Amino acid sequence: NNSCPIQLHDNCQYSRSNAVRKYIGDLTVMCIKQFEQDLKTLHETGTEGEISKCDFKGKLKDLNNHLINECTLNLIDCWFKPFGCNHTCVRQNIDDHLISKMKLHFNLVTKLLQSMKQEIQLKDNRIKQMERDFQQELLKYRADIEIIKKDFNDKEQQASSNHEKIVKLLEEKNTKLLQKLNLQYKQKEKEEEDKKQTHESSSVSSKLIKTFDGHTNTVNSIDYSTFDDFQFICSGSDDKTVRVWNIDSNKQIQSFNGHSDYVCCVKFSRYHYHNNRQNIFALHHMTKPFVFGISNIIINYKY
């Protein structure tokens, strides 16, 4: 009946007896991922390098929350995944990966930038070609107008009474043609410019957009999230504070003080946002991790 405290599944045999549920929920267990790793290590020999461990030993009812939010064996993606690096590892090994693969990451970023530059150059060449085609088309229409005028002058002696009327009709036709060409050219030019701006906005930019002032020491980590049509940034610093900023108003809306050491890392929780409509973020300083909750501005915090 989907009553399992660990994970929802069919044909669950978990007892609904309050007494039994209490005893089972209070059983002390170790981390499942650590247990699986120990089994794997037991059957393998010659393992080199430092192996990450999870020291969780707690109640069965708390295991699911630990696996989702706290387990040090959870895998995370490389920071350069948007550029093509698909490496995953535990959180404590990410720095080693970033350092050892620095050249690879640099090449991935460089490759993406070069690709974007080539695409922009291609768009520029297309625009220039359109300008040349427009000039040739305009010269063609001007030549046609000159031919028409010449024919008109040749026939002027035969139809002098219709001279002004024919000239007016030709000028109106010429004006409409030029207006049509100009309109088409401007529309094409606008479309190409919009595409160019779209591609340029997706590339790495060094333009300063906003500045958030408040920290008094080095900022070690930031993260971005949205909530109820608002955009937020949280930041952790060596000044032992965590601050939350409203991007739209460019203002600091909350500061968490009282940490005993540097704040090394902050991160919004996607799980709580999508499942509970709560903005939760976690942070880690030199001694222990913390978890904070945000709803509208700030609801509470706990660790």
Side-chain angles (χ1 to χ4, degrees):
N1 298 320
N2 291 328
S3 58
C4 181
I6 301 302
Q7 183 177 357
L8 301 183
H9 59 90
D10 296 331
N11 301 319
C12 181
Q13 300 299 319
Y14 183 67
S15 174
R16 288 186 177 274
S17 169
N18 291 334
V20 175
R21 292 178 66 182
K22 179 179 179 181
Y23 284 116
I24 293 178
D26 290 338
L27 288 177
T28 300
V29 295
M30 68 182 296
C31 177
I32 294 177
K33 293 183 179 180
Q34 181 61 47
F35 177 75
E36 292 173 346
Q37 180 173 281
D38 292 344
L39 289 179
K40 183 179 179 181
T41 305
L42 183 63
H43 294 85
E44 293 181 357
T45 58
T47 304
E48 298 181 357
E50 182 179 354
I51 300 177
S52 300
K53 291 186 177 181
C54 178
D55 298 327
F56 173 82
K57 287 185 179 180
K59 295 181 179 180
L60 180 63
K61 62 185 179 182
D62 298 329
L63 182 59
N64 190 45
N65 179 67
H66 162 76
L67 292 175
I68 295 175
N69 301 314
E70 302 172 357
C71 184
T72 58
L73 298 179
N74 287 337
L75 298 179
I76 62 173
D77 294 328
C78 175
W79 295 355
F80 288 86
K81 183 176 182 179
F83 298 95
C85 181
N86 296 321
H87 178 77
T88 59
C89 63
V90 295
R91 187 178 301 277
Q92 72 180 54
N93 293 338
I94 189 66
D95 290 340
D96 295 337
H97 168 71
L98 293 175
I99 293 173
S100 63
K101 299 298 181 179
M102 186 179 298
K103 183 176 180 180
L104 172 64
H105 295 156
F106 179 79
N107 291 336
L108 289 174
V109 174
T110 303
K111 183 178 179 181
L112 180 61
L113 288 175
Q114 290 176 349
S115 176
M116 291 181 175
K117 288 181 180 179
Q118 291 176 357
E119 190 170 357
I120 292 173
Q121 183 63 40
L122 181 61
K123 297 297 182 182
D124 289 338
N125 293 338
R126 290 179 180 177
I127 292 176
K128 291 178 181 180
Q129 182 63 41
M130 289 179 60
E131 291 177 349
R132 290 192 293 266
D133 293 343
F134 171 76
Q135 293 296 334
Q136 293 177 358
E137 194 73 16
L138 185 60
L139 291 175
K140 180 180 178 181
Y141 280 113
R142 288 178 177 175
D144 292 341
I145 292 173
E146 292 299 326
I147 293 174
I148 294 174
K149 287 184 177 180
K150 182 178 179 181
D151 293 340
F152 172 77
N153 291 330
D154 293 339
K155 297 178 181 180
E156 184 178 12
Q157 295 177 355
Q158 299 177 1
S160 57
S161 61
N162 297 327
H163 174 77
E164 294 181 356
K165 183 177 179 181
I166 295 176
V167 171
K168 185 177 180 180
L169 291 174
L170 290 174
E171 288 177 348
E172 289 177 354
K173 180 180 180 181
N174 181 38
T175 301
K176 290 180 179 179
L177 289 173
L178 290 176
Q179 289 176 349
K180 182 178 180 180
L181 285 174
N182 286 328
L183 180 60
Q184 292 176 349
Y185 173 76
K186 288 180 179 179
Q187 289 177 345
K188 291 181 179 179
E189 188 177 38
K190 185 177 184 303
E191 292 175 356
E192 294 296 330
E193 185 64 22
D194 291 341
K195 293 180 180 178
K196 180 179 178 182
Q197 290 178 357
T198 301
H199 287 288
E200 289 178 347
S201 64
S202 63
S203 63
V204 177
S205 175
S206 60
K207 180 180 178 182
L208 177 63
I209 299 176
K210 290 185 179 181
T211 300
F212 299 94
D213 296 320
H215 286 296
T216 60
N217 208 328
T218 303
V219 176
N220 295 315
S221 177
I222 64 172
D223 196 21
Y224 167 84
S225 181
T226 60
F227 188 74
D228 288 342
D229 298 327
F230 291 99
Q231 301 180 85
F232 297 101
I233 286 180
C234 63
S235 58
S237 168
D238 283 354
D239 63 7
K240 303 178 183 179
T241 67
V242 176
R243 302 171 186 264
V244 182
W245 316 82
N246 187 315
I247 298 179
D248 300 313
S249 63
N250 204 35
K251 293 181 178 180
Q252 175 183 305
I253 61 173
Q254 187 72 29
S255 174
F256 295 96
N257 304 314
H259 297 288
S260 60
D261 213 329
Y262 305 149
V263 179
C264 299
C265 182
V266 293
K267 185 71 176 177
F268 284 104
S269 171
R270 296 182 179 177
Y271 174 83
H272 286 84
Y273 177 78
H274 291 292
N275 291 275
N276 302 319
R277 294 298 297 168
Q278 291 182 331
N279 244 344
I280 303 295
F281 68 88
L283 60 99
H284 192 281
H285 63 51
M286 299 299 291
T287 58
K288 65 174 68 174
F290 289 76
V291 179
F292 295 84
I294 303 178
S295 178
N296 295 330
I297 301 178
I298 296 295
I299 292 180
N300 53 23
Y301 62 93
K302 59 183 178 181
Y303 65 88

